[in-house]
Amino acid sequence: MARNLDLTALRAFATVAATGGVTRSAVLLHLTQSAVSMQIKRLEEALDTRLLDRAGRGVRLTPEGEKVLAYARRMLSLNDELLDRMRDAVPEGEIRLGVPHDIVPRCIPAVLRTFAAEYPRVRITLISSVTTTLHEMFAEGGCDVILTTEAAPGPGGEELVRLPMIWVGAEEGIAWTQRPLRLAFETACVFRSRAQAALDAADISWEVAITAESSRAIDASVSADLACHVVIDGFDTPEMLPVPHGGNLPEIGEVGISLYSAPAPLDPARARLTEIIGDVYGTLRPSHRKPVLTAVSASH
């Protein structure tokens, strides 16, 4: 007797693999977390193998899960391709998406994978820059959709989430103990003035030690323990980690991640892209790192 795999369960599994967790997957699939977990369980029972390693924070694929994922993506792709071919028209074209470089890695891969699965013939051109430049490009028609990091959204903008800003530096670095505090920022970085104002209010001397047009140059300088930088909570990287300052550096406040979409007639593909972006970024939450005040001698 022939056995059939449930495509719904395969899609749930592929979405969890793409997003790295059940919570975001549930939002994208418009299901409850328990429903997504149940779909994964049914698939594991059907295949008689464990697909996910749930130990620790988040979920990881087991070796068998890696194998199954490749088949799941192929099966879902064929399913979606057949449905598209049976429709009268398959959406095509290009959407120019602008995103600040520092909020790309954590969320945009999941956004692009989810969108590509639904609209395989619509090309996404990803433009990475600072918020001020993206606003200029959007106003001039150079981007169809942009994300920004700013204190409050402007006209036409929708704030998706609001998160604290945090200090970052090199792993086991000491740059944050030095006075004046050495800072590294891109020339047009919107966080620069916020960080400087917070230091002034805390009566901490500072100097802009490194400026660059490239975010890569800033990342390299900070990871080399030459200076400190500021990022949105949760968007630190292995090269730039939260500084364990124990309250000896000031809080910088919060910043919003906002979404803007061009006012031109909204086609289904762009509408779906903005929905996916809202779902993925809207699930972000602060890490709730609360520094405990400790006495640290500043280096001179």
Side-chain angles (χ1 to χ4, degrees):
M1 181 177 178
R3 294 185 301 161
N4 297 311
L5 291 174
D6 185 349
L7 286 176
T8 302
L10 286 172
R11 195 176 298 279
F13 170 62
T15 305
V16 169
T19 61
V22 172
T23 302
R24 268 184 226 167
S25 301
V27 173
L28 292 173
L29 294 169
H30 301 288
L31 297 171
T32 64
Q33 293 184 42
S34 59
V36 173
S37 297
M38 182 60 69
Q39 294 286 357
I40 301 297
K41 182 179 179 181
R42 287 175 181 170
L43 184 59
E44 289 179 327
E45 290 174 350
L47 296 172
D48 192 26
T49 189
R50 191 162 60 95
L51 303 175
L52 299 176
D53 181 359
R54 298 172 177 83
R57 185 178 179 182
V59 295
R60 295 182 180 179
L61 297 182
T62 63
E64 290 301 316
E66 295 281 359
K67 296 176 185 177
V68 172
L69 178 61
Y71 284 100
R73 286 175 173 166
R74 287 162 58 190
M75 293 172 69
L76 292 169
S77 177
L78 286 172
N79 173 81
D80 297 342
E81 181 181 345
L82 175 59
L83 290 175
D84 285 339
R85 288 188 179 276
M86 297 306 292
R87 293 171 183 162
D88 292 335
V90 178
E92 296 181 345
E94 176 191 18
I95 300 175
R96 297 162 298 176
L97 172 62
V99 186
H101 65 85
D102 53 337
I103 63 170
V104 168
R106 182 177 174 188
C107 296
I108 289 300
V111 169
L112 297 182
R113 279 193 294 264
T114 302
F115 180 82
E118 298 183 28
Y119 291 90
R121 298 189 188 181
V122 177
R123 182 173 71 255
I124 298 291
T125 298
L126 183 62
I127 301 165
S128 181
S129 188
V130 294
T131 288
T132 51
T133 299
L134 292 176
H135 266 305
E136 293 170 359
M137 295 181 67
F138 184 72
E140 295 169 358
C143 289
D144 304 302
V145 178
I146 63 170
L147 284 169
T148 63
T149 52
E150 51 194 345
E158 174 193 358
E159 187 170 277
L160 303 178
V161 66
R162 194 164 191 79
L163 296 167
M165 293 180 285
I166 60 170
W167 296 99
V168 291
E171 183 176 9
E172 299 182 356
I174 61 170
W176 69 272
T177 67
Q178 299 174 345
R179 299 294 182 270
L181 181 66
R182 294 168 58 85
L183 304 176
F185 283 100
E186 282 184 83
T187 306
C189 180
V190 295
F191 298 162
R192 180 173 178 167
S193 60
R194 297 277 296 272
Q196 292 168 349
L199 291 169
D200 288 340
D203 197 26
I204 296 175
S205 61
W206 55 268
E207 63 180 5
V208 178
I210 299 162
T211 58
E213 298 297 327
S214 165
S215 61
R216 297 279 187 180
I218 298 301
D219 295 352
S221 301
V222 175
S223 65
D225 200 26
L226 300 180
C228 292
H229 186 56
V230 169
V231 301
I232 297 176
D233 188 10
F235 287 91
D236 44 278
T237 68
E239 292 76 30
M240 298 193 302
L241 299 175
V243 170
H245 57 80
N248 287 281
L249 291 178
E251 293 187 7
I252 317 161
E254 294 183 331
V255 67
I257 298 177
S258 297
L259 172 69
Y260 296 77
S261 184
L266 189 63
D267 61 273
R270 182 152 59 94
R272 178 58 179 145
L273 176 63
T274 58
E275 181 182 19
I276 294 169
I277 290 172
D279 288 343
V280 171
Y281 280 90
T283 62
L284 298 176
R285 295 292 181 270
S287 64
H288 302 295
R289 283 183 286 258
K290 293 295 183 182
V292 178
L293 185 62
T294 58
V296 176
S297 298
S299 301
H300 298 280

